[in-house]
Amino acid sequence: MAALDYTFERREKLFRAEEREQGRQEGRAEGLAEGIVTIANEYAPNYDVEAITKRYMKL
């Protein structure tokens, strides 16, 4: 029975770690998407494509 408990606990830890990593990746993608839109808005209404591209490439 102890071996089953260990296996269950180990599986649960692995699942939680995978879920945390997935959450981090989703958060990074959302943050990047928001940052890109924000960069473009900073140059409105006279959008300077070169300047926006340079800022974007630094992300």
Side-chain angles (χ1 to χ4, degrees):
M1 188 66 170
L4 289 177
D5 289 340
Y6 174 77
T7 303
F8 178 77
E9 289 176 13
R10 177 113 172 98
R11 277 186 53 208
E12 288 298 310
K13 286 180 183 180
L14 290 173
F15 285 141
R16 282 193 298 264
E18 288 174 2
E19 290 170 349
R20 275 193 305 273
E21 181 58 29
Q22 182 180 1
R24 283 189 197 113
Q25 290 175 0
E26 289 172 4
R28 286 182 186 138
E30 288 175 15
L32 180 59
E34 286 178 21
I36 290 170
V37 172
T38 301
I39 289 171
N41 286 335
E42 290 175 11
Y43 291 89
N46 301 319
Y47 295 101
D48 180 352
V49 176
E50 279 189 44
I52 294 170
T53 302
K54 286 179 185 177
R55 284 278 308 279
Y56 172 74
M57 296 306 287
K58 289 181 183 179
L59 293 178

